[in-house]
Amino acid sequence: MFSDLLQDFRYGFRQLIKARGFTIVAILTLAIGIGTTTAIFSIVNSVALQPMPYADAEQLLEIRQVRKADQRTFSPLWETIEELQKQTEIFSSVTASTGMHGNLSGVDFPVRVFGHAVALNYFSTLGVQPLIGRTFLPEEVIEGNGNVVILNHTFWLSQFNGRKSVLEEKILLNDEPYTIVGVMPPGFSKITGEMSSPKAFSPLVANNVVDSMRFMRECIGRLKPGATLEQAQAELDVFAKRMEASDPEQWRDFSLRVEPLRDYHVGDAKPTLYLLLGAVGFLLLIACVNVANLLLARASSRQREIALRSALGASRTRVVRQLLAESVLLAVIGGAIGILFAFWSMNALLTFAPVNMPRLNEVHIDGFALFISCAVTMLTGIGFGLVPALQATKVDLTLAMKEGGRSSGDGQQRARLRNTLVVVEVALALVLLIGAGLLTRTFANLQNVDLGYDGDTVHLTRL
């Protein structure tokens, strides 16, 4: 059996070499479809499907305070987070962080640093340990002792050349000395949808952060083993009622809500990503239909060959297997080129992504994406090759062996099938064209929305 398959592939490869024009067009068509699908699926997989890079990430929940009147959500007050730590039983720990900005000096070039001020239990709640060094000590969250900092891995490499001796070094943030006590591992990323990942972390109370910014940027709770999202929401409902009873003025119009941490950070991006994945799926379908039509057209010129093989005793199954071997070879070569195209185009695609798209720094083509790409390649080869192969083996030996039998063998049934494939291809292309037109029109309308002021003279400065 294996030797027969090997013979089929060798013969199929020779046939593809003989029909160079057909082979090149088919391979390029498949490469574009498979390559684009691989690249977009890798983005969707990295952003929306893969778990967040924390230990037991499914136990992490984002806790939000909700205004009942308009359902607007925001992170709780620091005082609320302290009460959550004391009064809830469903969470093994509750932590928080807020924004931190500073000017780094004392290096080759001054750098504007975006970072996070984090609670003492922040890293332990996420289940992450520094690559080198340590996390914060209890005495360092006391006001006046918080001038210590932990660096992001990328920032450590770019500004300090990855030196392990960086620990205990002093740097100047806003002209105040800070001691470097740790460096986070490369897999750790702080996902907030910000324009860039934080470059440094400091204790939450440093520089009176709690007093000057009582609303946190985020509040994260880690469920106890075996606890569920529904149980957490039920306990928070009880907690909110208890808080309302003790402070009606503050809590009358508010409640608390929890959702998985990944869904909170990625939820808004999912519809766009899935829409994009659907669009490239249509593109792959168009490529498959196009190649199937090419195979049908090519089968017309091979009717005498197929009839001769059948007359010599080859079964229909054997001939179909031979034709499918050629289709699979086309798909494999096209898929290999497509995967190379996906690697090459990934950076280009990311440059067009919104700057606030979460988890962009995690996007890559991993083993799972390659597995899906290989599976799609094999299914594609069988899918676009099976119908033409079955159709091509429906031959009338008498007509096919006659002089001029080529045109006779291309009967009305094959012509109808080719016409049907053309209709399907045009229909799929129209779906994509209409969708692109609607998106373009929406974008144009958004560009022309009346803001109520002259936007040409207004500028935004990010501190």
Side-chain angles (χ1 to χ4, degrees):
M1 182 66 177
F2 178 76
S3 60
D4 289 342
L5 284 174
L6 193 60
Q7 182 181 4
D8 287 340
F9 281 115
R10 281 201 299 263
Y11 181 76
F13 185 75
R14 289 197 299 268
Q15 290 295 315
L16 294 179
I17 292 295
K18 288 171 60 177
R20 291 187 180 87
F22 160 80
T23 302
I24 291 173
V25 171
I27 287 176
L28 289 180
T29 301
L30 291 173
I32 292 173
I34 294 174
T36 306
T37 303
T38 300
I40 297 300
F41 176 79
S42 296
I43 295 175
V44 175
N45 179 51
S46 298
V47 174
L49 301 181
Q50 289 295 318
M52 298 180 76
Y54 308 131
D56 299 319
E58 68 281 355
Q59 296 177 350
L60 296 174
L61 302 179
E62 180 77 18
I63 304 174
R64 304 291 291 174
Q65 196 162 341
V66 184
R67 186 159 56 195
K68 297 177 183 178
D70 55 8
Q71 294 298 299
R72 181 183 176 186
T73 69
F74 45 90
S75 289
L77 295 167
W78 174 251
E79 292 86 347
T80 302
I81 295 170
E82 289 183 314
E83 292 301 319
L84 283 169
Q85 293 171 334
K86 298 174 185 177
Q87 299 186 30
T88 55
E89 300 291 334
I90 199 74
F91 298 107
S92 59
S93 61
V94 178
T95 192
S97 72
T98 189
M100 177 191 75
H101 300 272
N103 294 315
L104 173 65
S105 55
V107 292
D108 293 339
F109 299 97
V111 178
R112 183 64 174 168
V113 177
F114 162 74
H116 279 267
V118 301
L120 177 63
N121 65 342
Y122 183 78
F123 298 108
S124 61
T125 299
L126 294 180
V128 180
Q129 292 296 321
L131 176 67
I132 59 173
R134 59 174 176 83
T135 56
F136 303 126
L137 303 175
E139 57 267 25
E140 291 169 343
V141 299
I142 300 174
E143 186 177 343
N145 296 338
N147 281 21
V148 291
V149 66
I150 297 175
L151 302 179
N152 171 285
H153 187 269
T154 304
F155 189 63
W156 173 57
L157 293 178
S158 63
Q159 295 296 323
F160 300 93
N161 299 317
R163 292 185 291 105
K164 293 186 177 181
S165 59
V166 73
L167 297 180
E168 302 304 322
E169 284 189 12
K170 300 284 187 180
I171 59 174
L172 293 177
L173 284 174
N174 294 334
D175 295 327
E176 291 191 20
Y178 279 74
T179 302
I180 300 172
V181 297
V183 176
M184 297 310 297
F188 177 76
S189 62
K190 178 63 196 59
I191 305 164
T192 60
E194 294 289 341
M195 293 183 65
S196 60
S197 295
K199 298 177 175 61
F201 303 87
S202 71
L204 185 59
V205 297
N207 300 327
N208 299 315
V209 170
V210 173
D211 293 334
S212 62
M213 192 177 297
R214 295 170 62 230
F215 282 100
M216 297 295 101
R217 184 178 295 274
E218 67 173 356
C219 174
I220 299 174
R222 177 175 285 278
L223 289 174
K224 290 182 178 179
T228 65
L229 177 67
E230 291 75 17
Q231 291 172 337
Q233 184 61 64
E235 183 164 334
L236 287 184
D237 290 340
V238 173
F239 173 84
K241 291 179 180 178
R242 190 161 57 241
M243 295 296 289
E244 182 179 355
S246 63
D247 189 356
E249 186 69 24
Q250 178 69 33
W251 279 89
R252 182 182 301 111
D253 300 324
F254 295 94
S255 62
L256 291 173
R257 180 190 301 165
V258 290
E259 60 182 308
L261 189 62
R262 183 183 64 183
D263 291 350
Y264 170 73
H265 287 298
V266 181
D268 291 341
K270 279 186 177 180
T272 301
L273 292 172
Y274 290 153
L275 179 65
L276 194 59
L277 185 60
V280 297
F282 270 94
L283 181 64
L284 182 58
L285 280 176
I286 292 172
C288 290
V289 174
N290 198 0
V291 175
N293 224 340
L294 289 174
L295 286 172
L296 274 175
R298 184 166 180 262
S300 299
S301 65
R302 301 180 65 184
Q303 287 302 298
R304 292 177 65 85
E305 172 200 338
I306 295 172
L308 182 59
R309 297 185 67 184
S310 299
L312 291 175
S315 66
R316 188 184 182 196
T317 301
R318 184 72 175 82
V319 177
V320 168
R321 194 177 73 188
Q322 170 61 58
L323 296 176
L324 277 179
E326 296 180 24
S327 302
V328 171
L329 272 176
L330 279 175
V332 169
I333 298 172
I337 296 175
I339 290 174
L340 292 177
F341 171 74
F343 276 103
W344 174 80
S345 63
M346 184 63 71
N347 290 335
L349 285 173
L350 293 179
T351 59
F352 292 101
V355 292
N356 61 346
M357 176 73 75
R359 308 188 71 175
L360 281 185
N361 59 327
E362 298 179 41
V363 172
H364 65 288
I365 300 177
D366 59 7
F368 180 64
L370 288 176
F371 171 77
I372 294 297
S373 180
C374 292
V376 167
T377 297
M378 297 305 296
L379 290 175
T380 298
I382 296 172
F384 71 72
L386 184 59
V387 173
L390 291 174
Q391 188 64 36
T393 53
K394 288 182 179 179
V395 293
D396 186 322
L397 296 183
T398 303
L399 290 175
M401 296 300 291
K402 287 181 180 179
E403 192 69 30
R406 179 191 311 178
S407 59
S408 299
D410 190 24
Q412 293 183 355
Q413 187 176 3
R414 185 174 294 109
R416 284 197 299 269
L417 180 57
R418 291 173 60 184
N419 291 336
T420 300
L421 289 177
V422 171
V423 170
V424 171
E425 189 173 353
V426 171
L428 291 173
L430 274 177
V431 171
L432 282 181
L433 186 61
I434 292 171
L438 290 174
L439 289 175
T440 302
R441 182 176 179 181
T442 301
F443 178 76
N445 290 338
L446 289 175
Q447 291 292 97
N448 296 320
V449 169
D450 184 7
L451 300 177
Y453 58 88
D454 183 5
D456 293 336
T457 60
V458 178
H459 301 275
L460 173 66
T461 300
R462 181 179 293 269
L463 299 177

